[in-house]
Amino acid sequence: MKQFFIVPSILSANFSNLGHDIKSVIKYGADLIHFDIMDNHYVNNLTFGPVVLQSLKKNGVEFNADIHLMTHKVDNLIPIFAKQKVSFITFHPESTFHIDSTISLIKSFGCKAGIAINPATSLSCLEYTIDKLDLILIMSVNPGFGKQKFLTYILKKIEKVRKLIDSYNNNIVLQVDGGIKKDNILNLLNAGANSFVIGSEIFCSKNCKSTILKIKNIINKFLK
Ligand code: DX5
Ligand code: ZN
């Protein structure tokens, strides 16, 4: 049975009170917390590293972490994040010379492995990896920044990936990331996505709680 995940991206959270923001969204029903790791090489932005997760955990902030590596290299970072007992580690295929061995490296630590595919990148890398993956992340914005506009042409791509996953009849998570709002999430559900990375719609809203509850209602109504 397909599960559905609401995954707040902390890129738009209040970093002066990050533990509080994370505890709040979890209390309101978030399933995982999405960490956008950017190195100012793979994308033109610089965010944070594993020290943020270490500090959160050390100070008693409990969460399931969904790590999105937007970095020029990934193999050296994977063990560091894996040691934080994160749930998912997702990487862009351009960040490794050997996609298959990077997937195996993530799984060797007991973490779930995901591949992130940029808007104009083809799905070809899935052909020989889909039977090893736990998650496929379809980027609905060009990576690097929050608060961008959802690229509507991605809906067709999501439908294609849903068909591909269903033909393998396994429960790979189909995640979408970028520009997701209350007023477009139903299109994503109809296209076959079941995991939603949502940053500014949640953390920049006047009321995080009501935003998450509204999103949950849209998903529950879709499932009826
Ligand atoms: C962009 C990041 C996204 C982004 C989502 O590179 O991967 O996770 O933070 O933020 P919103 O929901 O504001 O587009
Ligand atoms: Zn992301």
Side-chain angles (χ1 to χ4, degrees):
M1 170 67 179
K2 218 169 28 187
Q3 281 182 289
F4 288 76
F5 304 96
I6 297 174
V7 189
S9 157
I10 60 164
L11 196 58
S12 295
N14 171 3
F15 270 76
S16 74
N17 208 354
L18 188 57
H20 167 270
D21 274 13
I22 290 175
K23 282 181 186 167
S24 302
V25 295
I26 288 172
K27 195 170 64 191
Y28 305 146
D31 299 290
L32 292 125
I33 302 295
H34 186 85
F35 291 77
D36 287 310
I37 312 301
M38 301 181 190
D39 66 353
N40 198 37
H41 289 275
Y42 180 73
V43 290
N44 293 328
N45 197 359
L46 183 64
T47 56
F48 43 80
V51 66
V52 170
L53 279 94
Q54 286 156 4
S55 172
L56 286 162
K57 298 221 165 173
K58 204 170 101 218
N59 291 282
V61 185
E62 294 295 317
F63 51 87
N64 292 321
D66 175 38
I67 305 297
H68 179 189
L69 295 177
M70 285 166 276
T71 55
H72 173 61
K73 292 191 304 176
V74 289
D75 287 358
N76 57 319
L77 288 173
I78 286 164
I80 304 171
F81 280 102
K83 286 187 185 110
Q84 294 295 320
K85 304 259 173 289
V86 297
S87 303
F88 289 88
I89 301 178
T90 299
F91 66 99
H92 289 254
E94 303 89 346
S95 304
T96 177
F97 288 114
H98 308 287
I99 296 172
D100 180 274
S101 52
T102 296
I103 293 171
S104 306
L105 177 63
I106 294 169
K107 295 175 85 108
S108 71
F109 288 98
C111 301
K112 295 193 179 91
I115 277 189
I117 300 183
N118 286 334
T121 303
S122 89
L123 300 172
S124 57
C125 75
L126 297 178
E127 194 176 347
Y128 297 103
T129 57
I130 191 156
D131 52 342
K132 300 178 187 72
L133 288 171
D134 301 293
L135 179 142
I136 298 170
L137 166 51
I138 299 299
M139 293 301 294
S140 40
V141 295
N142 289 295
F145 297 89
K147 305 184 183 73
Q148 297 183 75
K149 212 169 155 354
F150 180 88
L151 297 170
T152 45
Y153 73 85
I154 296 298
L155 287 170
K156 283 267 166 276
K157 199 172 185 182
I158 297 168
E159 286 168 6
K160 245 174 149 179
V161 176
R162 173 46 60 198
K163 282 200 189 84
L164 187 65
I165 292 174
D166 291 351
S167 68
Y168 275 80
N169 199 12
N170 56 19
N171 43 12
I172 295 177
V173 175
L174 205 183
Q175 186 175 69
V176 182
D177 183 357
I180 300 180
K181 309 289 176 204
K182 289 189 290 296
D183 61 13
N184 64 20
I185 196 167
L186 186 57
N187 301 334
L188 297 172
L189 285 158
N190 286 320
N194 65 319
S195 177
F196 307 97
V197 177
I198 307 173
S200 49
E201 181 74 342
I202 289 175
F203 287 112
C204 299
S205 75
K206 287 193 181 59
N207 186 331
C208 271
K209 181 175 180 182
S210 86
T211 300
I212 291 181
L213 294 181
K214 281 186 188 134
I215 290 168
K216 278 177 108 60
N217 282 340
I218 293 167
I219 295 172
N220 291 335
K221 243 171 99 188
F222 170 77
L223 292 173
K224 277 206 174 52

